Amino acid sequence: MDQNDADEVMASIGHALELGQAGDRAAARDALTELWHRIGDTGDALHRCTIAHHLADLQDSVADELRWDRRALAAVTDLRNERVQQHDVSLRVRAFLPTLHLNLADGYRRAGDGERARHHLTVASPLAVELPDDGYGAMIRDGFARVTWLLDTGSREPLAAP
């Protein structure tokens, strides 16, 4: 896949996310699922990670969400800084890890698997230094605290509204 095709896939991902933000979760999910099938399980790691990460948020069941979150984490192991920086020069692969582990921790918490949830929080916590010092980084750091508190209270309620 050449750079123009890669840019087209990222643009398509962005379009799908706009559908979801406009309230059409089903259309967003369908568009991202179609992209996933187009690039395949062994396609570009940035595409796989990005699509799986966003597809997780569009699922109706925690089990399906976890399946996509696991795919996103698996894809990031194939990703290199050089590739993500072709998309955005400020990105670093290690900065993806706190979010991916936080998503898994929250999913496992809501599924009632506290042991796996705590494992992902333990892995993610020291990686928080990789997060940018901005609103996004603050949101993820706050997410660690909120998921930990919800886990400690035994809550299986969603972290945030879908």
Side-chain angles (χ1 to χ4, degrees):
M1 178 177 296
D2 68 23
Q3 189 61 40
N4 289 335
D5 289 339
D7 291 344
E8 185 271 325
V9 170
M10 293 306 284
S12 295
I13 292 168
H15 176 69
L17 296 178
E18 289 172 6
L19 291 171
Q21 291 168 350
D24 196 345
R25 289 171 47 90
R29 185 174 46 239
D30 291 347
L32 289 174
T33 301
E34 180 181 321
L35 277 173
W36 179 268
H37 291 299
R38 185 172 126 201
I39 65 164
D41 291 340
T42 59
D44 182 285
L46 177 61
H47 298 157
R48 287 185 288 127
C49 183
T50 305
I51 292 168
H53 173 68
H54 291 294
L55 263 171
D57 294 338
L58 295 168
Q59 300 305 307
D60 293 328
S61 77
V62 175
D64 288 339
E65 182 179 336
L66 282 166
R67 184 170 50 96
W68 285 108
D69 280 334
R70 286 189 298 266
R71 284 180 174 173
L73 185 61
V76 84
T77 63
D78 296 334
L79 197 50
R80 301 292 171 259
N81 282 332
E82 296 78 19
R83 173 61 186 106
V84 298
Q85 290 169 354
Q86 288 174 348
H87 177 67
D88 182 332
V89 295
S90 70
L91 294 176
R92 292 178 333 279
V93 173
R94 286 187 55 83
F96 289 27
L97 295 173
T99 302
L100 298 176
H101 282 288
L102 176 62
N103 290 347
L104 281 162
D106 188 51
Y108 283 122
R109 175 193 63 81
R110 288 182 289 119
D113 190 340
E115 184 176 333
R116 283 189 181 162
R118 288 188 194 285
H119 165 77
H120 284 283
L121 285 172
T122 299
V123 171
S125 208
L127 296 170
V129 298
E130 301 292 338
L131 292 167
D133 190 20
D134 60 10
Y136 174 77
M139 177 184 71
I140 300 304
R141 287 181 190 94
D142 181 57
F144 293 147
R146 289 173 42 219
V147 169
T148 299
W149 181 80
L150 290 168
L151 191 57
D152 289 345
T153 64
S155 174
R156 292 174 67 175
E157 292 302 312
L159 182 60

